[in-house]
Amino acid sequence: MIIKKKEAQTMKFNGLFLVLSIVLLAGTILLANGVVNVYTDRHYETDDAIFKLFEQTTNIKVNVLKIGSDELIPRLKLEGKNTQADVIIVADVGRLHSAKEEGLLQPVKSEFLNRVIPEKFRDVDNYWFALTKRARIIVYSKERVNPSEIRTYQDLANPKWKGKILVRTSAHVYNRSLLASLIALHGEDYARDWASKIVSNLAREPKGNDRDQIKAIAAGVGDIAIVNSYYVGLMINSSDPEERAAVSKVGVIFPNPTHVNISGMGLVRYAKNHHNAIKLMEFLLSPKVQKMYADANYEFPINPEVEPGEFLKSWGTFTEQNIRLSRIGELGSKAAMIFNIVGWK
Ligand code: FE
């Protein structure tokens, strides 16, 4: 067959067009599944690895903005409809509850999330869902305290601990949620009485973060502190010798029952990548990812199919407060009021 010059040119052109089409198609396939934008207050390398794994598994690009815990919700509020965020991840049910109350989230219908997350660890209206679980525990000086004398948060109210107790300020959501849990279990009068007795027993004016309370025990400023469980794990395995030395001086007590709280996530009200956002949320509760979370930050997995890491298992089992965390969110402002009344700084 004789091909004329013009026909040859056309074929060449068609060939070029074909190659170009394939390149474009490949590009489209690579980007076919789009993006999901996450605002998070977690700052762990494992979280980056988890998002990378999601990208590889789904072909959905994850853009992550890491923001300080106290700036995330105000920023989302400020951005309103123009926000880029699809999913937020924050620590403490108090913050998740505020995001819901401020109208920043929308409910998610996910059969999977409802199945793998125990009821107490998700919002009653499906506005937020737990990701990991942590305990607010008691640590004590191994040299100066007999741990058999402390079995509950109430035991810290005993006048014999006058001048011995260390805790961060009441402005922090961890303490607000702890007090809210005591209101939920025992009522307002009990909670006010407890908080005022803790104030009378303080070793110093509340200041610093949870790690600072452990360092203060090591320095002999006080004997007993209230801290989140994962900080003990983080300090034991810290690269900072000062942190390792401080934490070696303390023992841990899981009060009966223990206040458990969560880090959790919600779908942003103005999310532009709704479908991908839910895909990511479900992925984060998968057993594989739950294991990664638990191992990285000494937190307890939420998915009951997943066992905690070896370090947490060495602490044994404990009894959790029997409260739906939504209730703790609701009682946060009441707790703040009580802290004000009793003068817990
Ligand atoms: Fe924390």
Side-chain angles (χ1 to χ4, degrees):
M1 195 165 126
I2 302 159
I3 301 167
K4 288 182 193 150
K5 198 178 168 195
K6 196 160 182 194
E7 274 172 327
Q9 267 177 347
T10 311
M11 279 177 73
K12 208 168 151 192
F13 177 78
N14 281 346
L16 195 71
F17 184 74
L18 188 71
V19 170
L20 203 69
S21 303
I22 290 167
V23 169
L24 280 175
L25 187 70
T28 318
I29 289 167
L30 277 177
L31 298 170
N33 297 333
V35 299
V36 58
N37 300 318
V38 180
Y39 286 4
T40 178
D41 73 356
R42 295 175 58 98
H43 299 78
Y44 305 106
E45 276 169 29
T46 308
D47 289 47
D48 300 333
I50 288 169
F51 293 134
K52 189 126 279 156
L53 188 64
F54 178 75
E55 287 183 338
Q56 285 162 358
T57 314
T58 62
N59 242 338
I60 298 167
K61 170 122 183 66
V62 186
N63 298 312
V64 181
L65 185 66
K66 294 182 181 177
I67 316 180
S69 305
D70 293 323
E71 293 135 52
L72 196 151
I73 290 168
R75 173 164 177 165
L76 198 60
K77 201 172 160 185
L78 199 74
E79 291 174 345
K81 283 181 186 170
N82 300 318
T83 189
Q84 293 295 310
D86 298 308
V87 176
I88 59 161
I89 296 176
V90 286
D92 204 283
V93 68
R95 293 199 183 101
L96 292 162
H97 180 78
S98 328
K100 177 191 178 187
E101 289 298 292
E102 301 263 16
L104 303 173
L105 302 178
Q106 61 174 302
V108 169
K109 260 196 208 137
S110 162
E111 191 262 323
F112 175 76
L113 291 180
N114 286 344
R115 181 161 47 81
V116 297
I117 304 174
E119 194 179 54
K120 66 190 274 201
F121 296 123
R122 47 187 160 85
D123 178 47
V124 278
D125 307 312
N126 295 321
Y127 277 80
W128 52 256
F129 300 85
L131 205 53
T132 61
K133 186 162 82 169
R134 57 273 297 281
R136 195 136 181 83
I137 60 173
I138 297 167
V139 293
Y140 62 92
S141 160
K142 287 196 277 199
E143 285 161 18
R144 304 184 293 275
V145 175
N146 173 0
S148 70
E149 292 185 276
I150 303 165
R151 299 195 190 280
T152 62
Y153 297 108
Q154 183 59 45
D155 288 336
L156 302 181
N158 190 318
K160 85 168 169 211
W161 304 121
K162 202 168 186 63
K164 304 291 185 205
I165 294 183
L166 294 153
V167 66
R168 71 197 306 170
T169 68
S170 67
H172 200 275
V173 72
Y174 295 165
N175 283 338
R176 215 179 309 141
S177 291
L178 171 62
L179 190 60
S181 76
L182 298 181
I183 300 172
L185 287 176
H186 308 289
E188 254 177 84
D189 289 346
Y190 174 102
R192 193 184 313 117
D193 181 65
W194 179 81
S196 97
K197 285 174 174 158
I198 297 297
V199 171
S200 318
N201 283 348
L202 289 178
R204 64 173 181 194
E205 214 168 69
K207 63 171 178 183
N209 56 29
D210 282 0
R211 290 180 209 235
D212 292 328
Q213 314 311 319
I214 294 174
K215 289 176 194 164
I217 292 180
V221 178
D223 291 349
I224 303 164
I226 304 172
V227 300
N228 277 2
S229 48
Y230 53 89
Y231 289 114
V232 177
L234 288 170
M235 287 176 78
I236 288 174
N237 295 287
S238 172
S239 57
D240 176 356
E242 192 198 325
E243 286 202 336
R244 290 200 304 271
V247 78
S248 73
K249 304 279 185 201
V250 306
V252 306
I253 296 166
F254 282 76
N256 187 8
T258 297
H259 170 59
V260 285
N261 209 303
I262 55 170
S263 73
M265 61 188 173
L267 175 61
V268 174
R269 179 171 175 190
Y270 299 109
K272 279 133 196 117
N273 303 290
H274 189 278
H275 183 72
N276 288 350
I278 294 176
K279 240 185 174 156
L280 176 66
M281 290 169 80
E282 292 181 340
F283 180 79
L284 299 183
L285 263 298
S286 63
K288 189 177 183 180
V289 175
Q290 283 284 294
K291 186 85 190 118
M292 290 170 80
Y293 272 132
D295 289 345
N297 192 34
Y298 311 101
E299 290 176 280
F300 300 91
I302 282 290
N303 185 332
E305 284 172 37
V306 181
E307 284 200 19
E310 286 308 314
F311 175 76
L312 290 184
K313 274 202 261 179
S314 74
W315 279 343
T317 54
F318 59 94
T319 307
E320 295 178 1
Q321 289 173 332
N322 184 21
I323 313 168
R324 188 156 192 178
L325 265 63
S326 288
R327 188 73 193 125
I328 292 176
E330 287 162 14
L331 289 167
S333 49
K334 201 157 264 176
M337 235 172 56
I338 290 176
F339 278 135
N340 256 335
I341 293 168
V342 304
W344 183 322
K345 275 219 159 187

